[in-house]
Amino acid sequence: NDGDASFPYRIAERYHCKGFLGSGGSGLVFKAWDDMLQRMVAIKFIRNPSFVARQRLVAEARALAKVNHPSICSIYDIGEPVDEHSSLFMVMELIEGPRLAELAGKLTTTQAIKLIHKLAEGVSELHAVGLVHNDINPGNVIITQQGNEEPMPTLIDLSIAGRPSKQSRPKGFGVTPLFCAPEQREDNEIAADMLEKVDIYSLGALLLFLVSGQAPSKNPAAQL
């Protein structure tokens, strides 16, 4: 309820804090009620407000705004805080459900393949608008299910998403070592033509994780 959590800084009164949802590499996410549109939303706040963090949040919002797919979290708005020293906040679709991490080893092979297939379609949409995610891992995927519909995986936290130009990770942003491609574990720049492949590697790593219950090792064939 309202008393359990409060936003890190003051924002428009139309939003009422309904609880803390979690934290990612770039910020804190809260559940909120939008008085104006009468719906629940998720609001992301920057952990350490700065000009660079503000730019990253805008970049993430623009990335989300370009993609319309059920496997990619939708963006509703970016808002300015009430106090000058605070930073922007992002209003997003509220996605609630277990993280992919909680389903490892509990699904049939067919169920696991269906989930990753849907996720791959969303990632393909990201790639189609010229973006790569960079950190697809079991904590960044939420599984939702409505009635008798099949489970839908939704990829969240595009805070380090970028365009496929030669790049290294933004400072202060790590990748999840067990699910990133070997070349990502070095601090080297990754060639533009490899960045989409890095996302594809992570999707394969997720599938292995779902089927085997274990993150990929140096000998994945033995695991399976």
Side-chain angles (χ1 to χ4, degrees), residues 91-121:
V91 185
M92 303 176 290
E93 172 188 11
L94 176 65
I95 309 283
E96 289 189 291
R99 303 277 170 143
L100 193 73
E102 296 172 46
L103 302 182
K106 297 179 182 175
L107 303 177
T108 66
T109 305
T110 302
Q111 288 172 324
I113 289 170
K114 279 184 177 177
L115 275 181
I116 300 302
H117 183 218
K118 288 175 185 170
L119 196 59
E121 287 179 334

PDB file of all heavy atoms in Angstrom, residues 91-121:
ATOM      1  N   VAL A  91       7.594   6.629 -17.326  1.00  0.00           N
ATOM      2  CA  VAL A  91       6.355   5.916 -17.010  1.00  0.00           C
ATOM      3  C   VAL A  91       6.176   4.808 -18.047  1.00  0.00           C
ATOM      4  O   VAL A  91       6.184   5.060 -19.249  1.00  0.00           O
ATOM      5  CB  VAL A  91       5.142   6.868 -17.027  1.00  0.00           C
ATOM      6  CG1 VAL A  91       3.885   6.120 -16.564  1.00  0.00           C
ATOM      7  CG2 VAL A  91       5.403   8.076 -16.143  1.00  0.00           C
ATOM      8  N   MET A  92       6.033   3.580 -17.560  1.00  0.00           N
ATOM      9  CA  MET A  92       5.984   2.417 -18.443  1.00  0.00           C
ATOM     10  C   MET A  92       4.776   1.541 -18.135  1.00  0.00           C
ATOM     11  O   MET A  92       4.148   1.657 -17.082  1.00  0.00           O
ATOM     12  CB  MET A  92       7.250   1.566 -18.262  1.00  0.00           C
ATOM     13  CG  MET A  92       8.546   2.293 -18.489  1.00  0.00           C
ATOM     14  SD  MET A  92       9.951   1.212 -18.120  1.00  0.00           S
ATOM     15  CE  MET A  92       9.829   1.070 -16.338  1.00  0.00           C
ATOM     16  N   GLU A  93       4.522   0.645 -19.057  1.00  0.00           N
ATOM     17  CA  GLU A  93       3.534  -0.412 -18.860  1.00  0.00           C
ATOM     18  C   GLU A  93       3.935  -1.214 -17.616  1.00  0.00           C
ATOM     19  O   GLU A  93       5.108  -1.505 -17.410  1.00  0.00           O
ATOM     20  CB  GLU A  93       3.576  -1.294 -20.108  1.00  0.00           C
ATOM     21  CG  GLU A  93       2.774  -2.554 -20.072  1.00  0.00           C
ATOM     22  CD  GLU A  93       3.048  -3.438 -21.288  1.00  0.00           C
ATOM     23  OE1 GLU A  93       4.000  -3.184 -22.053  1.00  0.00           O
ATOM     24  OE2 GLU A  93       2.293  -4.411 -21.442  1.00  0.00           O
ATOM     25  N   LEU A  94       2.963  -1.537 -16.784  1.00  0.00           N
ATOM     26  CA  LEU A  94       3.240  -2.358 -15.608  1.00  0.00           C
ATOM     27  C   LEU A  94       3.194  -3.826 -16.011  1.00  0.00           C
ATOM     28  O   LEU A  94       2.164  -4.328 -16.448  1.00  0.00           O
ATOM     29  CB  LEU A  94       2.213  -2.079 -14.509  1.00  0.00           C
ATOM     30  CG  LEU A  94       2.349  -2.944 -13.255  1.00  0.00           C
ATOM     31  CD1 LEU A  94       3.663  -2.657 -12.531  1.00  0.00           C
ATOM     32  CD2 LEU A  94       1.178  -2.728 -12.311  1.00  0.00           C
ATOM     33  N   ILE A  95       4.340  -4.489 -15.907  1.00  0.00           N
ATOM     34  CA  ILE A  95       4.426  -5.923 -16.219  1.00  0.00           C
ATOM     35  C   ILE A  95       4.650  -6.652 -14.895  1.00  0.00           C
ATOM     36  O   ILE A  95       5.644  -6.406 -14.221  1.00  0.00           O
ATOM     37  CB  ILE A  95       5.623  -6.228 -17.153  1.00  0.00           C
ATOM     38  CG1 ILE A  95       5.629  -5.315 -18.367  1.00  0.00           C
ATOM     39  CG2 ILE A  95       5.643  -7.696 -17.550  1.00  0.00           C
ATOM     40  CD1 ILE A  95       4.643  -5.652 -19.439  1.00  0.00           C
ATOM     41  N   GLU A  96       3.732  -7.526 -14.530  1.00  0.00           N
ATOM     42  CA  GLU A  96       3.876  -8.252 -13.266  1.00  0.00           C
ATOM     43  C   GLU A  96       3.814  -9.752 -13.515  1.00  0.00           C
ATOM     44  O   GLU A  96       3.001 -10.228 -14.314  1.00  0.00           O
ATOM     45  CB  GLU A  96       2.790  -7.833 -12.282  1.00  0.00           C
ATOM     46  CG  GLU A  96       2.975  -6.426 -11.748  1.00  0.00           C
ATOM     47  CD  GLU A  96       2.011  -6.104 -10.607  1.00  0.00           C
ATOM     48  OE1 GLU A  96       0.808  -6.001 -10.868  1.00  0.00           O
ATOM     49  OE2 GLU A  96       2.485  -5.968  -9.471  1.00  0.00           O
ATOM     50  N   GLY A  97       4.664 -10.470 -12.836  1.00  0.00           N
ATOM     51  CA  GLY A  97       4.707 -11.914 -12.981  1.00  0.00           C
ATOM     52  C   GLY A  97       6.076 -12.410 -12.551  1.00  0.00           C
ATOM     53  O   GLY A  97       6.948 -11.616 -12.186  1.00  0.00           O
ATOM     54  N   PRO A  98       6.291 -13.724 -12.603  1.00  0.00           N
ATOM     55  CA  PRO A  98       7.605 -14.253 -12.208  1.00  0.00           C
ATOM     56  C   PRO A  98       8.677 -13.883 -13.229  1.00  0.00           C
ATOM     57  O   PRO A  98       8.387 -13.692 -14.413  1.00  0.00           O
ATOM     58  CB  PRO A  98       7.372 -15.771 -12.189  1.00  0.00           C
ATOM     59  CG  PRO A  98       6.214 -16.002 -13.101  1.00  0.00           C
ATOM     60  CD  PRO A  98       5.354 -14.780 -13.013  1.00  0.00           C
ATOM     61  N   ARG A  99       9.907 -13.764 -12.742  1.00  0.00           N
ATOM     62  CA  ARG A  99      11.038 -13.580 -13.652  1.00  0.00           C
ATOM     63  C   ARG A  99      11.352 -14.932 -14.280  1.00  0.00           C
ATOM     64  O   ARG A  99      11.083 -15.992 -13.708  1.00  0.00           O
ATOM     65  CB  ARG A  99      12.269 -13.075 -12.895  1.00  0.00           C
ATOM     66  CG  ARG A  99      12.040 -11.772 -12.144  1.00  0.00           C
ATOM     67  CD  ARG A  99      12.186 -10.571 -13.042  1.00  0.00           C
ATOM     68  NE  ARG A  99      11.738  -9.353 -12.376  1.00  0.00           N
ATOM     69  CZ  ARG A  99      12.311  -8.168 -12.528  1.00  0.00           C
ATOM     70  NH1 ARG A  99      13.334  -8.035 -13.346  1.00  0.00           N
ATOM     71  NH2 ARG A  99      11.840  -7.113 -11.917  1.00  0.00           N
ATOM     72  N   LEU A 100      11.951 -14.880 -15.431  1.00  0.00           N
ATOM     73  CA  LEU A 100      12.332 -16.111 -16.135  1.00  0.00           C
ATOM     74  C   LEU A 100      13.198 -17.000 -15.241  1.00  0.00           C
ATOM     75  O   LEU A 100      13.114 -18.230 -15.297  1.00  0.00           O
ATOM     76  CB  LEU A 100      13.090 -15.751 -17.414  1.00  0.00           C
ATOM     77  CG  LEU A 100      13.293 -16.876 -18.426  1.00  0.00           C
ATOM     78  CD1 LEU A 100      11.983 -17.188 -19.131  1.00  0.00           C
ATOM     79  CD2 LEU A 100      14.338 -16.484 -19.459  1.00  0.00           C
ATOM     80  N   ALA A 101      14.004 -16.364 -14.389  1.00  0.00           N
ATOM     81  CA  ALA A 101      14.906 -17.108 -13.499  1.00  0.00           C
ATOM     82  C   ALA A 101      14.159 -18.121 -12.631  1.00  0.00           C
ATOM     83  O   ALA A 101      14.696 -19.174 -12.283  1.00  0.00           O
ATOM     84  CB  ALA A 101      15.681 -16.131 -12.610  1.00  0.00           C
ATOM     85  N   GLU A 102      12.905 -17.810 -12.311  1.00  0.00           N
ATOM     86  CA  GLU A 102      12.132 -18.684 -11.409  1.00  0.00           C
ATOM     87  C   GLU A 102      11.603 -19.930 -12.119  1.00  0.00           C
ATOM     88  O   GLU A 102      11.110 -20.849 -11.470  1.00  0.00           O
ATOM     89  CB  GLU A 102      10.958 -17.897 -10.813  1.00  0.00           C
ATOM     90  CG  GLU A 102      11.383 -16.728  -9.928  1.00  0.00           C
ATOM     91  CD  GLU A 102      10.203 -15.856  -9.524  1.00  0.00           C
ATOM     92  OE1 GLU A 102       9.174 -16.424  -9.114  1.00  0.00           O
ATOM     93  OE2 GLU A 102      10.310 -14.618  -9.611  1.00  0.00           O
ATOM     94  N   LEU A 103      11.687 -19.961 -13.457  1.00  0.00           N
ATOM     95  CA  LEU A 103      11.105 -21.076 -14.209  1.00  0.00           C
ATOM     96  C   LEU A 103      12.145 -22.097 -14.669  1.00  0.00           C
ATOM     97  O   LEU A 103      11.796 -23.100 -15.286  1.00  0.00           O
ATOM     98  CB  LEU A 103      10.361 -20.539 -15.437  1.00  0.00           C
ATOM     99  CG  LEU A 103       9.241 -19.526 -15.166  1.00  0.00           C
ATOM    100  CD1 LEU A 103       8.573 -19.124 -16.466  1.00  0.00           C
ATOM    101  CD2 LEU A 103       8.199 -20.104 -14.213  1.00  0.00           C
ATOM    102  N   ALA A 104      13.411 -21.836 -14.380  1.00  0.00           N
ATOM    103  CA  ALA A 104      14.472 -22.729 -14.865  1.00  0.00           C
ATOM    104  C   ALA A 104      14.266 -24.154 -14.374  1.00  0.00           C
ATOM    105  O   ALA A 104      14.069 -24.396 -13.185  1.00  0.00           O
ATOM    106  CB  ALA A 104      15.836 -22.221 -14.404  1.00  0.00           C
ATOM    107  N   GLY A 105      14.294 -25.096 -15.304  1.00  0.00           N
ATOM    108  CA  GLY A 105      14.159 -26.505 -14.959  1.00  0.00           C
ATOM    109  C   GLY A 105      12.743 -26.937 -14.641  1.00  0.00           C
ATOM    110  O   GLY A 105      12.507 -28.095 -14.330  1.00  0.00           O
ATOM    111  N   LYS A 106      11.771 -26.018 -14.720  1.00  0.00           N
ATOM    112  CA  LYS A 106      10.386 -26.350 -14.359  1.00  0.00           C
ATOM    113  C   LYS A 106       9.475 -26.498 -15.574  1.00  0.00           C
ATOM    114  O   LYS A 106       8.309 -26.834 -15.443  1.00  0.00           O
ATOM    115  CB  LYS A 106       9.814 -25.261 -13.439  1.00  0.00           C
ATOM    116  CG  LYS A 106      10.540 -25.137 -12.102  1.00  0.00           C
ATOM    117  CD  LYS A 106       9.942 -24.020 -11.269  1.00  0.00           C
ATOM    118  CE  LYS A 106      10.706 -23.866  -9.949  1.00  0.00           C
ATOM    119  NZ  LYS A 106      10.210 -22.720  -9.175  1.00  0.00           N
ATOM    120  N   LEU A 107       9.993 -26.187 -16.770  1.00  0.00           N
ATOM    121  CA  LEU A 107       9.168 -26.231 -17.979  1.00  0.00           C
ATOM    122  C   LEU A 107       9.514 -27.448 -18.831  1.00  0.00           C
ATOM    123  O   LEU A 107      10.618 -27.988 -18.741  1.00  0.00           O
ATOM    124  CB  LEU A 107       9.410 -24.965 -18.822  1.00  0.00           C
ATOM    125  CG  LEU A 107       9.160 -23.622 -18.148  1.00  0.00           C
ATOM    126  CD1 LEU A 107       9.529 -22.493 -19.105  1.00  0.00           C
ATOM    127  CD2 LEU A 107       7.704 -23.481 -17.719  1.00  0.00           C
ATOM    128  N   THR A 108       8.581 -27.850 -19.679  1.00  0.00           N
ATOM    129  CA  THR A 108       8.913 -28.879 -20.666  1.00  0.00           C
ATOM    130  C   THR A 108       9.772 -28.207 -21.740  1.00  0.00           C
ATOM    131  O   THR A 108       9.799 -26.977 -21.862  1.00  0.00           O
ATOM    132  CB  THR A 108       7.642 -29.453 -21.333  1.00  0.00           C
ATOM    133  OG1 THR A 108       7.022 -28.403 -22.097  1.00  0.00           O
ATOM    134  CG2 THR A 108       6.662 -29.987 -20.294  1.00  0.00           C
ATOM    135  N   THR A 109      10.452 -29.015 -22.526  1.00  0.00           N
ATOM    136  CA  THR A 109      11.279 -28.458 -23.604  1.00  0.00           C
ATOM    137  C   THR A 109      10.425 -27.627 -24.558  1.00  0.00           C
ATOM    138  O   THR A 109      10.811 -26.536 -24.973  1.00  0.00           O
ATOM    139  CB  THR A 109      11.989 -29.588 -24.375  1.00  0.00           C
ATOM    140  OG1 THR A 109      12.726 -30.364 -23.430  1.00  0.00           O
ATOM    141  CG2 THR A 109      12.936 -29.041 -25.417  1.00  0.00           C
ATOM    142  N   THR A 110       9.223 -28.126 -24.879  1.00  0.00           N
ATOM    143  CA  THR A 110       8.330 -27.406 -25.794  1.00  0.00           C
ATOM    144  C   THR A 110       7.934 -26.049 -25.219  1.00  0.00           C
ATOM    145  O   THR A 110       7.945 -25.033 -25.927  1.00  0.00           O
ATOM    146  CB  THR A 110       7.056 -28.236 -26.070  1.00  0.00           C
ATOM    147  OG1 THR A 110       7.446 -29.497 -26.609  1.00  0.00           O
ATOM    148  CG2 THR A 110       6.134 -27.532 -27.059  1.00  0.00           C
ATOM    149  N   GLN A 111       7.591 -26.004 -23.930  1.00  0.00           N
ATOM    150  CA  GLN A 111       7.221 -24.737 -23.290  1.00  0.00           C
ATOM    151  C   GLN A 111       8.390 -23.747 -23.319  1.00  0.00           C
ATOM    152  O   GLN A 111       8.206 -22.557 -23.592  1.00  0.00           O
ATOM    153  CB  GLN A 111       6.798 -24.985 -21.825  1.00  0.00           C
ATOM    154  CG  GLN A 111       5.456 -25.673 -21.678  1.00  0.00           C
ATOM    155  CD  GLN A 111       5.191 -26.071 -20.233  1.00  0.00           C
ATOM    156  OE1 GLN A 111       6.100 -26.470 -19.493  1.00  0.00           O
ATOM    157  NE2 GLN A 111       3.935 -25.973 -19.817  1.00  0.00           N
ATOM    158  N   ALA A 112       9.582 -24.268 -23.039  1.00  0.00           N
ATOM    159  CA  ALA A 112      10.781 -23.415 -23.023  1.00  0.00           C
ATOM    160  C   ALA A 112      11.038 -22.831 -24.411  1.00  0.00           C
ATOM    161  O   ALA A 112      11.314 -21.641 -24.568  1.00  0.00           O
ATOM    162  CB  ALA A 112      11.995 -24.212 -22.543  1.00  0.00           C
ATOM    163  N   ILE A 113      10.927 -23.668 -25.442  1.00  0.00           N
ATOM    164  CA  ILE A 113      11.169 -23.222 -26.818  1.00  0.00           C
ATOM    165  C   ILE A 113      10.144 -22.155 -27.214  1.00  0.00           C
ATOM    166  O   ILE A 113      10.482 -21.139 -27.824  1.00  0.00           O
ATOM    167  CB  ILE A 113      11.134 -24.413 -27.797  1.00  0.00           C
ATOM    168  CG1 ILE A 113      12.372 -25.285 -27.580  1.00  0.00           C
ATOM    169  CG2 ILE A 113      11.055 -23.939 -29.253  1.00  0.00           C
ATOM    170  CD1 ILE A 113      12.336 -26.622 -28.305  1.00  0.00           C
ATOM    171  N   LYS A 114       8.880 -22.353 -26.842  1.00  0.00           N
ATOM    172  CA  LYS A 114       7.827 -21.378 -27.179  1.00  0.00           C
ATOM    173  C   LYS A 114       8.118 -20.016 -26.539  1.00  0.00           C
ATOM    174  O   LYS A 114       7.946 -18.973 -27.173  1.00  0.00           O
ATOM    175  CB  LYS A 114       6.460 -21.888 -26.709  1.00  0.00           C
ATOM    176  CG  LYS A 114       5.827 -22.905 -27.660  1.00  0.00           C
ATOM    177  CD  LYS A 114       4.443 -23.278 -27.175  1.00  0.00           C
ATOM    178  CE  LYS A 114       3.763 -24.235 -28.154  1.00  0.00           C
ATOM    179  NZ  LYS A 114       2.441 -24.656 -27.662  1.00  0.00           N
ATOM    180  N   LEU A 115       8.541 -20.036 -25.275  1.00  0.00           N
ATOM    181  CA  LEU A 115       8.847 -18.783 -24.583  1.00  0.00           C
ATOM    182  C   LEU A 115       9.988 -18.039 -25.270  1.00  0.00           C
ATOM    183  O   LEU A 115       9.907 -16.833 -25.521  1.00  0.00           O
ATOM    184  CB  LEU A 115       9.223 -19.053 -23.114  1.00  0.00           C
ATOM    185  CG  LEU A 115       8.106 -19.174 -22.091  1.00  0.00           C
ATOM    186  CD1 LEU A 115       8.694 -19.403 -20.707  1.00  0.00           C
ATOM    187  CD2 LEU A 115       7.233 -17.920 -22.066  1.00  0.00           C
ATOM    188  N   ILE A 116      11.068 -18.761 -25.546  1.00  0.00           N
ATOM    189  CA  ILE A 116      12.238 -18.114 -26.150  1.00  0.00           C
ATOM    190  C   ILE A 116      11.936 -17.679 -27.582  1.00  0.00           C
ATOM    191  O   ILE A 116      12.434 -16.657 -28.048  1.00  0.00           O
ATOM    192  CB  ILE A 116      13.480 -19.031 -26.090  1.00  0.00           C
ATOM    193  CG1 ILE A 116      13.821 -19.363 -24.627  1.00  0.00           C
ATOM    194  CG2 ILE A 116      14.688 -18.371 -26.766  1.00  0.00           C
ATOM    195  CD1 ILE A 116      14.093 -18.163 -23.733  1.00  0.00           C
ATOM    196  N   HIS A 117      11.075 -18.428 -28.271  1.00  0.00           N
ATOM    197  CA  HIS A 117      10.677 -18.032 -29.627  1.00  0.00           C
ATOM    198  C   HIS A 117       9.967 -16.677 -29.597  1.00  0.00           C
ATOM    199  O   HIS A 117      10.257 -15.782 -30.404  1.00  0.00           O
ATOM    200  CB  HIS A 117       9.765 -19.101 -30.235  1.00  0.00           C
ATOM    201  CG  HIS A 117       9.368 -18.821 -31.647  1.00  0.00           C
ATOM    202  ND1 HIS A 117       8.101 -19.089 -32.135  1.00  0.00           N
ATOM    203  CD2 HIS A 117      10.048 -18.255 -32.675  1.00  0.00           C
ATOM    204  CE1 HIS A 117       8.035 -18.713 -33.404  1.00  0.00           C
ATOM    205  NE2 HIS A 117       9.200 -18.208 -33.751  1.00  0.00           N
ATOM    206  N   LYS A 118       9.032 -16.510 -28.653  1.00  0.00           N
ATOM    207  CA  LYS A 118       8.318 -15.236 -28.529  1.00  0.00           C
ATOM    208  C   LYS A 118       9.283 -14.099 -28.176  1.00  0.00           C
ATOM    209  O   LYS A 118       9.174 -12.984 -28.692  1.00  0.00           O
ATOM    210  CB  LYS A 118       7.221 -15.344 -27.460  1.00  0.00           C
ATOM    211  CG  LYS A 118       6.037 -16.196 -27.894  1.00  0.00           C
ATOM    212  CD  LYS A 118       5.065 -16.352 -26.745  1.00  0.00           C
ATOM    213  CE  LYS A 118       3.931 -17.301 -27.117  1.00  0.00           C
ATOM    214  NZ  LYS A 118       3.116 -17.658 -25.963  1.00  0.00           N
ATOM    215  N   LEU A 119      10.203 -14.414 -27.272  1.00  0.00           N
ATOM    216  CA  LEU A 119      11.186 -13.408 -26.871  1.00  0.00           C
ATOM    217  C   LEU A 119      12.075 -13.032 -28.059  1.00  0.00           C
ATOM    218  O   LEU A 119      12.378 -11.851 -28.283  1.00  0.00           O
ATOM    219  CB  LEU A 119      12.041 -13.975 -25.726  1.00  0.00           C
ATOM    220  CG  LEU A 119      12.862 -12.990 -24.915  1.00  0.00           C
ATOM    221  CD1 LEU A 119      11.980 -11.931 -24.274  1.00  0.00           C
ATOM    222  CD2 LEU A 119      13.664 -13.733 -23.854  1.00  0.00           C
ATOM    223  N   ALA A 120      12.456 -14.030 -28.845  1.00  0.00           N
ATOM    224  CA  ALA A 120      13.300 -13.793 -30.016  1.00  0.00           C
ATOM    225  C   ALA A 120      12.590 -12.889 -31.020  1.00  0.00           C
ATOM    226  O   ALA A 120      13.217 -12.040 -31.664  1.00  0.00           O
ATOM    227  CB  ALA A 120      13.676 -15.121 -30.674  1.00  0.00           C
ATOM    228  N   GLU A 121      11.270 -13.043 -31.151  1.00  0.00           N
ATOM    229  CA  GLU A 121      10.519 -12.179 -32.064  1.00  0.00           C
ATOM    230  C   GLU A 121      10.578 -10.714 -31.608  1.00  0.00           C
ATOM    231  O   GLU A 121      10.732  -9.805 -32.424  1.00  0.00           O
ATOM    232  CB  GLU A 121       9.057 -12.637 -32.141  1.00  0.00           C
ATOM    233  CG  GLU A 121       8.870 -13.932 -32.921  1.00  0.00           C
ATOM    234  CD  GLU A 121       7.412 -14.378 -32.969  1.00  0.00           C
ATOM    235  OE1 GLU A 121       6.653 -14.001 -32.040  1.00  0.00           O
ATOM    236  OE2 GLU A 121       7.038 -15.086 -33.914  1.00  0.00           O
TER     237      GLU A 121
END
